């Protein structure tokens, strides 16, 4: 009975017609990729009149996959039929009864909503809604309630077809991945950085994940996190890039000799960004994504973030900067990365007991020169 999926988008509809078609085409490609990757067979995917229609006999399974595709605001598994009054009556009643059975609703309250996307159907929207509602009332023990309802029977009419549904599943919205270019995202094994990567995906960015190696246990955890994030990254092609830092021991030993171990964390993040900058330029990425939340830990004060930002001439995007931990954790739980992020990982022995909270750029430059024999190049001069 359910042989189609109605896909609704939000922001894409505000674009000019030419730009909207470009966004629609990318979204359609991402939808196809999602369905193929999850072995959901489909006959066709097409855009018409502000809707995308997916023709598939696995509509309910398809909805569970497509709700993770960015750019989609909501979806409905639907029955596509010829727009004939008797067929609309019978299909609406079948779907109504199907929901009664699956949800165990007794004495349900319902409403019918109709949208004539194209106007060839002879009845107006309210007239058809009234007739379908009357038909259901005559065949089931129920009552109409336009505000406090248990079931909504939705009917959309378009080019001689009726699409009838009783479910509307929310998507994540945002923009399709691939519409806003590439960014490099630094992925640790923590809670924050996966959420930062997710939010940039939601705004249409293809994410290139980079992990700075800390040990095998942490690496295995990060691989699991990235595999979870890929469920939202349809349209992106990147695999996890693992970088093993060569200069870490040199930095640690020099800072220890200078009794400046408190700068270790700032140094490590600075070097992470330098590595990310190099990879970003190789891939043509337009920025670097970090999971910093202002003031959450010592390395995420304004002063220390300023120092770290000097490591790259590219924009540093910090989508979590204004969020508190509870907000970040809520998103992590919602997208399925939280349970992975709290798995055990390798201990980091070189974290100082009292890390610097408000580092000085001038002091950092002196320490950098002591380690590498030259001053760091300031942002904008690379």
């Amino acid at each position: 009975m359910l042989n189609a999926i109605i896909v609704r988008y939000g922001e894409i509809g505000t674009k000019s017609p030419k730009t909207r078609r470009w966004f629609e085409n990318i979204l359609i490609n991402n939808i196809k990729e999602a369905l193929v990757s999850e072995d959901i067979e489909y006959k066709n995917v097409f855009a018409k009149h502000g809707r995308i229609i997916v023709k598939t006999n696995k509509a309910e399974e398809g909805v569970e996959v497509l709700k993770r595709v960015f750019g989609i605001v909501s979806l409905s598994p639907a029955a596509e039929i010829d727009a004939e009054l008797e067929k609309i009556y019978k299909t609406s009643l079948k779907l109504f009864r199907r929901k009664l059975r699956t949800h165990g609703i007794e004495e349900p309250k319902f409403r019918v909503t109709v949208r004539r996307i194209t106007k060839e159907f002879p009845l107006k929207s309210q007239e058809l809604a009234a007739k379908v509602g009357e038909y259901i009332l005559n065949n089931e023990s129920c009552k109409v309630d336009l505000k406090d309802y248990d079931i909504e029977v939705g009917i959309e009419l378009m080019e001689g077809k009726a699409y009838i549904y009783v479910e509307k599943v929310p998507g994540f919205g945002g923009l399709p991945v691939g519409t806003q270019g590439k960014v490099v995202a630094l992925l640790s094994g923590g809670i924050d950085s996966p959420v930062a990567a997710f939010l940039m995906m939601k705004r249409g960015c293809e994410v290139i994940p980079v992990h700075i190696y800390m040990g095998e246990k942490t690496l295995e955890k990060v691989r699991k996190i990235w595999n979870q994030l890929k469920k939202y990254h349809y349209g992106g092609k990147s695999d996890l890039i693992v970088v093993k830092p060569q200069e870490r021991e040199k930095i640690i030993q020099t800072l220890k000799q200078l009794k400046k171990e408190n700068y270790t964390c700032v140094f490590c993040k600075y070097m992470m960004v330098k590595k990310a900058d190099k990879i970003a330029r190789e891939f043509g990425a337009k920025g670097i994504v970090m999971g910093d939340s202002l003031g959450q830990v010592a390395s995420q004060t304004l002063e220390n973030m300023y120092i770290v930002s000097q490591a790259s001439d590219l924009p540093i995007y910090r989508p979590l900067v204004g969020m508190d931990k509870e907000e970040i954790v809520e998103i992590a739980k919602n997208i399925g990365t939280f349970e992975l992020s709290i798995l055990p990982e390798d201990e980091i022995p070189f974290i100082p007991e009292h890390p610097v909270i408000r580092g000085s750029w001038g002091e950092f430059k002196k320490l950098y020169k002591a380690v590498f024999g030259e001053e760091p190049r300031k942002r904008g001069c690379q």
Side-chain angles (χ1 to χ4, degrees):
M1 180 186 297
L2 298 172
N3 58 0
I5 302 171
I6 302 171
V7 177
R8 306 175 186 88
Y9 52 69
E11 285 184 66
I12 295 175
T14 67
K15 311 295 182 183
S16 66
K18 183 178 179 181
T19 303
R20 184 170 67 245
R21 283 193 295 273
W22 180 75
F23 273 85
E24 282 179 342
N25 287 336
I26 292 177
L27 180 54
I28 286 172
N29 287 335
N30 293 355
I31 286 171
K32 290 178 178 179
E33 181 182 317
L35 293 171
V36 169
S37 69
E38 300 290 339
D39 296 321
I40 305 293
E41 294 180 3
Y42 66 92
K43 297 176 183 177
N44 195 12
V45 182
F46 58 89
K48 279 188 178 180
H49 308 293
R51 291 283 190 270
I52 291 175
I53 303 296
V54 179
K55 299 291 288 297
T56 175
N57 290 325
K58 294 184 176 181
E60 290 174 306
E61 298 96 320
V63 165
E64 289 303 304
V65 174
L66 296 185
K67 68 183 183 182
R68 301 193 305 267
V69 175
F70 290 124
I72 296 175
V73 172
S74 69
L75 310 102
S76 292
E80 181 198 78
I81 59 171
D82 293 331
E84 299 171 5
L85 193 56
E86 195 64 28
K87 288 184 178 180
I88 292 172
Y89 285 160
K90 291 181 178 179
T91 304
S92 297
L93 182 60
K94 283 181 182 178
L95 291 181
F96 181 86
R97 285 173 170 168
R98 189 171 187 266
K99 185 156 185 178
L100 287 183
R101 291 195 305 272
T102 56
H103 289 71
I105 305 170
E106 296 182 4
E107 298 291 327
K109 295 176 286 184
F110 79 102
R111 74 174 187 178
V112 179
T113 57
V114 176
R115 185 182 178 197
R116 291 193 307 162
I117 297 172
T118 57
K119 308 300 182 184
E120 63 274 356
F121 193 79
L123 296 177
K124 292 182 179 180
S125 297
Q126 288 185 338
E127 292 172 337
L128 179 58
K131 285 183 174 293
V132 172
E134 183 181 11
Y135 185 84
I136 292 172
L137 283 169
N138 290 336
N139 288 276
E140 278 291 339
S141 177
C142 55
K143 63 180 181 179
V144 173
D145 193 318
L146 300 181
K147 293 183 178 180
D148 183 23
Y149 52 88
D150 301 302
I151 301 174
E152 178 178 24
V153 178
I155 303 171
E156 297 192 3
L157 301 165
M158 179 171 63
E159 296 185 358
K161 297 291 183 181
Y163 297 88
I164 305 174
Y165 59 91
V166 291
E167 303 281 355
K168 186 179 283 188
V169 178
F172 282 98
L175 297 172
V177 169
T179 60
Q180 304 302 309
K182 299 176 183 178
V183 291
V184 166
L186 284 165
L187 271 188
S188 70
I191 296 169
D192 301 342
S193 60
V195 175
F198 169 86
L199 292 177
M200 295 303 286
M201 291 176 189
K202 185 178 177 181
R203 296 311 304 161
C205 292
E206 179 179 351
V207 166
I208 301 163
V210 174
H211 174 64
I212 309 300
Y213 184 80
M214 294 289 180
E216 286 300 315
K217 191 184 293 185
T218 302
L219 175 57
E220 181 61 27
K221 181 164 82 162
V222 172
R223 290 194 192 282
K224 291 178 181 178
I225 290 170
W226 178 242
N227 285 336
Q228 177 64 20
L229 286 175
K230 283 198 296 186
K231 295 179 180 179
Y232 305 93
H233 200 229
Y234 301 113
K237 310 299 181 186
S238 303
D239 292 322
L240 181 68
I241 297 172
V242 181
V243 177
K244 293 191 176 183
Q246 306 299 318
E247 64 284 301
R248 183 182 291 159
E249 192 60 34
K250 185 178 180 180
I251 293 170
I252 294 168
Q253 291 304 319
T254 305
L255 293 178
K256 193 172 183 179
Q257 290 168 10
L258 296 171
K259 299 189 184 303
K260 289 290 184 178
E261 297 101 318
N262 59 337
Y263 269 84
T264 302
C265 293
V266 176
F267 250 96
C268 286
K269 293 196 78 169
Y270 181 94
M271 300 309 293
M272 287 179 183
V273 173
K274 280 196 73 173
K275 297 291 185 185
D277 175 272
K278 182 180 179 182
I279 293 168
R281 295 177 192 281
E282 290 173 359
F283 282 83
K286 304 304 181 185
I288 298 166
V289 182
M290 301 182 73
D292 294 342
S293 171
L294 184 59
Q296 187 179 124
V297 295
S299 64
Q300 295 175 18
T301 61
L302 288 176
E303 292 85 353
N304 290 348
M305 285 195 289
Y306 172 82
I307 294 171
V308 170
S309 296
Q310 306 312 309
S312 174
D313 222 20
L314 295 171
I316 310 292
Y317 300 111
R318 296 178 169 93
L320 312 184
V321 71
M323 294 187 185
D324 60 36
K325 196 67 176 182
E326 287 76 14
E327 292 172 302
I328 298 168
V329 166
E330 184 178 352
I331 297 173
K333 288 179 177 179
N334 192 31
I335 65 176
T337 59
F338 178 77
E339 294 300 328
L340 299 173
S341 293
I342 61 175
L343 291 172
E345 60 182 40
D346 298 281
E347 291 185 15
I348 304 176
F350 52 81
I351 293 180
E353 187 176 352
H354 301 291
V356 65
I357 296 174
R358 293 180 175 84
S360 159
W361 173 241
E363 180 72 11
F364 180 84
K365 287 196 295 183
K366 293 176 184 176
L367 296 172
Y368 190 95
K369 188 173 183 180
V371 176
F372 296 107
E374 60 181 13
E375 286 192 357
R377 287 172 291 176
K378 193 172 188 295
R379 187 181 173 96
C381 302
Q382 293 174 304

